[in-house]
Amino acid sequence: GSEQVAGIATAIYMINPGALFTDTQFAYESLALPLAVFVLFAVAHRLYTPDRQKSMNLVIMLAVAAVVVSHHVTSYALVVFLLLWTAIWALTSFRRSPGQKGQMDLGGVALLGGVTLLGLVLCVAWLVYTGDLAIGYLSSHIDPAVSQLAQIFADQAKIKPLFHDGSGYVAPLWERIATYASVVLI
């Protein structure tokens, strides 16, 4: 319900390296991201509606399935986010009345846990179904990143400075200033 939080979240998202190039293309990731946000909206709507509209269950299930088949990484991020939301909800949902023991909001925990479990099961099923295709594609991006990170921690490689490439080229000053200024403006 906060415009400020929405604005801050949007600004943080917009400064990621893929926002300008990858996310402006019409491709599977640009379909999966709004679907994932819709899942979060639908879950929050059902969670915070006093009668907890059960008619939203089908909408939530279909939306989670759509995210899973649209983009692997977005679906994994959605499941991790839902898992964290479930844990935080469970830890903070104790209702206390004077003189009574705390009672957990089991309905909210069940809803969040159920959606998280559905997402996890669908992610695993889709990964198994797509098999070597998805694993090969994902590992080709993850393996080099993990290897480089391990080399940095083992002092076998240095962190690449911003605006420098391997050949020694340094981006012009105006480009560096424009990059920093755009982040500040955002």
Side-chain angles (χ1 to χ4, degrees):
S2 168
E3 292 86 5
Q4 290 83 13
V5 172
I8 291 168
T10 302
I12 290 171
Y13 177 76
M14 288 175 64
I15 62 174
N16 89 69
L20 181 59
F21 300 107
T22 307
D23 298 341
T24 56
Q25 301 172 10
F26 183 75
Y28 50 91
E29 181 187 7
S30 56
L31 173 64
L33 287 171
L35 283 171
V37 171
F38 176 74
V39 168
L40 299 177
F41 167 78
V43 170
H45 177 72
R46 186 162 184 288
L47 195 59
Y48 291 106
T49 302
D51 61 357
R52 295 229 167 114
Q53 299 173 340
K54 292 185 178 173
S55 61
M56 288 294 291
N57 286 348
L58 181 61
V59 172
I60 292 169
M61 288 188 287
L62 290 173
V64 169
V67 171
V68 169
V69 300
S70 296
H71 192 244
H72 288 284
V73 178
T74 303
S75 63
Y76 303 153
L78 176 64
V79 169
V80 168
F81 185 88
L82 287 168
L83 182 64
L84 291 172
W85 192 4
T86 304
I88 291 169
W89 187 273
L91 292 172
T92 62
S93 69
F94 285 95
R95 310 288 184 227
R96 294 191 185 272
S97 300
Q100 293 181 347
K101 290 184 178 181
Q103 293 181 339
M104 185 182 287
D105 176 12
L106 293 178
V109 172
L111 169 66
L112 288 166
V115 174
T116 304
L117 183 61
L118 172 69
L120 181 62
V121 167
L122 289 177
C123 282
V124 169
W126 188 248
L127 186 62
V128 168
Y129 176 74
T130 57
D132 291 338
L133 212 75
I135 293 171
Y137 172 76
L138 293 172
S139 66
S140 71
H141 295 286
I142 294 171
D143 290 347
V146 170
S147 174
Q148 289 175 1
L149 193 60
Q151 289 174 358
I152 289 170
F153 284 130
D155 280 337
Q156 295 174 347
K158 293 182 179 182
I159 297 173
K160 181 182 152 291
L162 291 175
F163 308 109
H164 293 76
D165 69 6
S167 69
Y169 172 79
V170 179
L173 180 61
W174 69 267
E175 193 173 312
R176 291 179 280 171
I177 291 171
T179 303
Y180 287 124
S182 67
V183 172
V184 170
L185 287 173
I186 288 171

